[in-house]
Amino acid sequence: MPDMDVALKDAMQIDGAIGVALVDYTSGMALGIAGGTKDFDLTVAAAGNTDVVRAKLRAMEMLQMRDEIEDILVTLGEQYHLIRPLKARSGKGLFLYLALIKSRANLALARHQLRRIEESIDV
């Protein structure tokens, strides 16, 4: 099982990856970050996306949905943002956040690779 740093490096190998973070959605803190640019602050993006996860979890609770989030996709003009909550007991309350350049990414393959990383990560 890869540790967090190895998992983040693996995620950065996904075609089109701009940056990736492992985030605690209870606090909004990024526990680990790889990539990013001077114009794309992953710490800020990770913290902001905790609200997305919390909102979806609240909506599911209000609807009494007994399901779990596989991933959340936000499609922007030039980017994809993938949010994947960790399902392992040790990853409870954490999610992987991956930003991709839309023109260079294969969304289906990126989702598959991020799922593989999420399933193997050791937190």
Side-chain angles (χ1 to χ4, degrees):
M1 290 194 157
D3 67 10
M4 178 182 56
D5 292 330
V6 172
L8 295 175
K9 287 178 187 174
D10 287 347
M12 285 303 297
Q13 299 306 309
I14 296 172
D15 286 342
I18 300 168
V20 62
L22 179 64
V23 186
D24 178 338
Y25 66 76
T26 58
S27 69
M29 277 188 77
L31 305 177
I33 289 176
T37 68
K38 68 178 183 72
D39 297 323
F40 187 71
D41 186 334
L42 271 166
T43 304
V44 173
N49 279 291
T50 60
D51 292 334
V52 173
V53 174
R54 289 180 197 153
K56 186 59 188 170
L57 289 171
R58 267 193 314 274
M60 289 173 63
E61 185 178 329
M62 288 188 302
L63 293 168
Q64 298 179 350
M65 295 178 75
R66 304 210 190 287
D67 208 345
E68 49 186 36
I69 300 169
E70 187 172 316
D71 58 32
I72 298 169
L73 170 64
V74 177
T75 304
L76 304 176
E78 297 180 3
Q79 297 176 0
Y80 292 126
H81 292 216
L82 279 170
I83 299 168
R84 184 158 186 101
L86 274 60
K87 291 179 181 56
R89 183 172 290 146
S90 64
K92 192 77 173 159
L94 304 178
F95 67 90
L96 282 167
Y97 168 67
L98 175 66
L100 301 159
I101 298 170
K102 198 173 176 181
S103 63
R104 291 187 30 218
N106 176 324
L107 183 57
L109 188 55
R111 288 183 69 222
H112 173 74
Q113 290 172 302
L114 196 60
R115 184 190 69 215
R116 183 185 49 78
I117 291 167
E118 178 260 325
E119 289 172 348
S120 68
I121 193 169
D122 186 22
V123 182

